[in-house]
Amino acid sequence: MSPPPVIAVKPAAPLPDKQRRIGVMTSGGDAPGMNGAVRAVVRMSITRGCESYAILEGYEGLVKGGDQIKRMYWEDVRGWLSEGGTLIGTARCKAFMERSGRLRAAKNMVVAGIDALVIIGGDGSLTGADIFRREWPGLLKELVDTKELTQEQVGPFNHLNIVGMVGSIDNDMSRTDATIGCYSSLGRICEAVDYIDATAFSHQRAFVIEVMGRHCGWLALMAAVSTGADFVFIPEKPPSVNWEADMCAVISKHRKLGKRKTIVIVAEGAQDYDLNKITSVRVKDLLANKLGLDTRITTLGHVQRGGSACAYDRVLATLQGVEAVSAVLEATPETPTPVISIIENKISRTPLMDAVIATRQVAEAIGAKDFTRAMNLRDAEFAEYHGAYMMTTATDQPHLKLPKEKHLRIAIIHVGAPAGGTNSATHAAVAYCFARGHTPIAIHNGFSGLCRHHNDKPLGSVREVKWLDVEGWTSKGGSEIGTNRALPSGDMPKTAECFALYKFDALFIIGGFEAFTALSEIRKARQDYAAFRIPMVLLPATISNNVPGTEYSVGSDTCLNALVGYCDAIKQSASASRRRVFVVETQGGRSGYVATMAGLAIGATAVYTPEEGISLKMLVRDIEYLREVFAKDKGQNRAGKLILRNDHASTTYTTEVIANMIMDESKGRFESRWAIPGHVQQGGTPSPMDRVRAVRLAVKCMQYIEEYTGKTKEEIDADETSMAVIGIKGASVVFSPLVRLEREDTHWNHRRPLTETWLALKKTVDTLSGRPISDD
């Protein structure tokens, strides 16, 4: 029998030097943010001198080949950041699960000349990718042996490099804090629950909300934390054996305290200790029959998966896409397949199979009823959120109460401009105080309220808080106890007098740079006023994200979502007109964080920040770039352009001036407009990220304060860590001594940290927009 003939194919010749042909595909369930990831991979590949290819319809396209493997160019991904789902398609592919299917995929890749793959999907998709890589040498050998390809044709492709990115709304992959799409999905859930909350309150009803999560309870848990739900069911941590009685007891107690509504959140994979499924219907029947509550069930379904990505998912997808291309170009044949992850605020690489194995071990532990191990296998942040939720939800937890001699009077104050999540942090702090036996005291209207109105009749500004007072605060924007920019230096003696009068044992301050300044003033006055010798901790909450000691401030995510939504609408207008540039003014004080991160999330053409400033040379270069871009435009869709300018970037080149300069210099080729969203950026309802992080950080602050219980005023005064700022730095949550931050990391004139880690991202904005890099 004669051997089969060699099929006449002409594989693309390999690129010179270290240039690669990089394929990118989305696989498994779609997730908001996938398009942003594809955009970043395509544009960064081109920037690094490589060719980029989209594999359409996931592994199905890889197996079919031909026109399912499409060369991608810079303009092909224009406008993709704001699109939901995945524009290059995804499909389940049984053929790829068989070696014969992977053999066809290997041939198609060689024919296309692709020697690297970036795969965006869940653990199943990424596991398939790792198998493909391990089999690659054997697949090439088989293609040669069967005369499908020649040795000369496969020679340049002996090594296949694969990089994974996790796109999953469930956030079910271990070794990363967040997956692309999870916060967008959480936003859909919280929005729905917030709406349901209003009707539940009106009719004193109970609602059982079922959310996605067959094997992972992240969505259910974070939704419970974000909305202040009364009870939650997740696969990793079943309720107690007597959960029916326990749930009814908690909800009954809440009702007796005056709560008019009940929200219970159930993950679709919820089960009891014997692995019996806990259904929404079962929970509903319990509430209706045992407690007599008018109860409804709402199953959110696929609404959780759809829609445009939130700001965080866009930024995450973009930064991970950039990192994925770097991982491809830095890889060697010995490099284990990496998956791009994020821990707190740090993008990193993790061996793919380590993450996959850890993920699967969770399911195995649940199946073996080893729920303690299942929780331990989830990332530490997951367990922390669960603990924070349990501690801040139930009203009667005797096992958490401290001895009476350890009970503290903890004052809570808001300082500075409003920021989304401030009320969430306050609610968590108050609930924690009740769980531990402390007395929470709200200082209304900041330091000016304390000094001027503390003894007003019938109600002063210093008030002990009751549990029902903060009910519903988790989802409220602004500041429920009032806030302003007044500082204690306005009347330091009166401030100290009030601290002593109301016997504050600790101060929990929530706010931005004004709060940081206020704490600094009190620290310096400690030597004169013994009342200030108590533990004090600041939780940064400001849209500007300009507080020393942290890379993230509560409220900044809410601001970004509001700004991104505004810019999406503006960009739609600009695109409809095709040849229009909008210059949008952002807030942020003297920190360019908001402008830069929004620039990443919307694909801004240019971003002007106070750190860099604005020069005439810069404007001339950018206008020339706009001329070139519009001159090359041949009628493509989504041709509108956005430029973001921080409101303190320049006193000379204002937003209006820049827009007018662009209009004058366009020579009629395009138009320009300017827009100022103003206080819209302070947001309305806080974003889920700001809510959950506020809760977690507030609980940590309360625990930090408790460490000083029993210490004398002299001991506290001598301890520089007794006045601290909580913050996220890199991959860690840290408490930084205030005095060190004042001395080593504060630019007082510019009201921002000396070290701003996000500054490096400005270059990424420019790179992905194609803006010419300054050689100044």
Side-chain angles (χ1 to χ4, degrees), residues 210 243 267-272 274-280 282:
E210 183 175 311
W243 66 267
E268 60 181 319
Q271 56 200 351
D272 64 19
D274 292 320
L275 305 184
N276 298 309
K277 187 172 178 60
I278 297 176
T279 66
S280 299
R282 186 177 175 189

Side-chain angles (χ1 to χ4, degrees), residues 311-524:
Y312 179 84
D313 278 331
R314 298 188 196 189
V315 172
L316 176 65
T318 298
L319 297 182
Q320 288 194 342
V322 169
E323 182 68 15
V325 174
S326 295
V328 165
L329 298 179
E330 294 167 11
T332 67
E334 294 74 33
T335 305
T337 301
V339 63
I340 311 302
S341 61
I342 184 168
I343 306 298
E344 299 295 356
N345 260 26
K346 184 177 176 59
I347 302 290
S348 58
R349 304 174 195 173
T350 301
L352 171 62
M353 290 315 296
D354 286 359
V356 169
I357 290 169
T359 301
R360 291 182 175 173
Q361 285 176 341
V362 176
E364 292 169 3
I366 292 173
K369 303 181 183 179
D370 190 349
F371 300 108
T372 300
R373 183 166 181 264
M375 287 295 288
N376 290 337
L377 285 168
R378 288 286 181 217
D379 299 303
E381 187 183 69
F382 184 87
E384 280 188 25
Y385 277 120
H386 185 267
Y389 171 76
M390 297 304 294
M391 187 169 284
T392 59
T393 301
T395 56
D396 189 14
Q397 304 183 74
H399 65 287
L400 295 176
K401 280 279 196 299
L402 293 171
K404 193 169 184 179
E405 63 273 14
K406 292 186 177 181
H407 292 179
L408 303 172
R409 291 174 57 81
I410 301 178
I412 303 170
I413 190 170
H414 300 171
V415 178
T422 300
N423 292 318
S424 305
T426 305
H427 173 272
V430 168
Y432 183 93
C433 285
F434 282 117
R436 303 288 276 172
H438 305 311
T439 301
I441 303 165
I443 300 174
H444 289 251
N445 301 317
F447 283 103
S448 59
L450 173 68
C451 295
R452 299 172 190 169
H453 306 290
H454 70 95
N455 58 355
D456 284 3
K457 302 299 179 185
L459 196 62
S461 61
V462 180
R463 309 172 197 169
E464 292 188 8
V465 186
K466 298 181 178 63
W467 184 85
L468 195 62
D469 291 341
V470 295
E471 157 60 18
W473 283 21
T474 304
S475 58
K476 288 188 176 181
S479 167
E480 288 296 302
I481 65 173
T483 185
N484 55 52
R485 300 176 186 274
L487 298 173
S489 55
D491 194 341
M492 192 65 76
K494 177 61 73 172
T495 301
E497 178 186 323
C498 289
F499 271 50
L501 177 64
Y502 294 100
K503 300 179 181 178
F504 296 157
D505 295 315
L507 178 68
F508 179 39
I509 183 169
I510 306 170
F513 200 88
E514 288 82 7
F516 182 84
T517 304
L519 208 56
S520 172
E521 291 180 353
I522 292 175
R523 182 192 64 78
K524 293 169 183 174

Side-chain angles (χ1 to χ4, degrees), residues 169-206:
I169 66 167
D170 294 332
N171 199 18
D172 53 358
M173 180 69 84
S174 295
R175 309 294 169 83
T176 184
D177 285 349
T179 57
I180 295 169
C182 70
Y183 274 101
S184 298
S185 180
L186 180 60
R188 308 282 181 273
I189 296 169
C190 290
E191 185 177 33
V193 175
D194 288 346
Y195 291 155
I196 288 168
D197 206 67
T199 190
F201 182 91
S202 300
H203 297 276
Q204 299 193 59
R205 283 180 178 147

Side-chain angles (χ1 to χ4, degrees), residues 30-34 81-85 168-171 178-192 218-219 300 302-317 557 561 564 687-689:
D30 64 295
M34 281 184 164
L81 273 167
S82 59
E83 297 288 343
S168 168
I169 66 167
D170 294 332
N171 199 18
T179 57
I180 295 169
C182 70
Y183 274 101
S184 298
S185 180
L186 180 60
R188 308 282 181 273
I189 296 169
C190 290
E191 185 177 33
W218 188 87
L219 281 176
L300 297 181
H302 280 72
V303 72
Q304 298 163 80
R305 193 182 289 281
S308 181
C310 67
Y312 179 84
D313 278 331
R314 298 188 196 189
V315 172
L316 176 65
D557 186 66
N561 278 318
V564 166
S687 72
M689 169 171 280

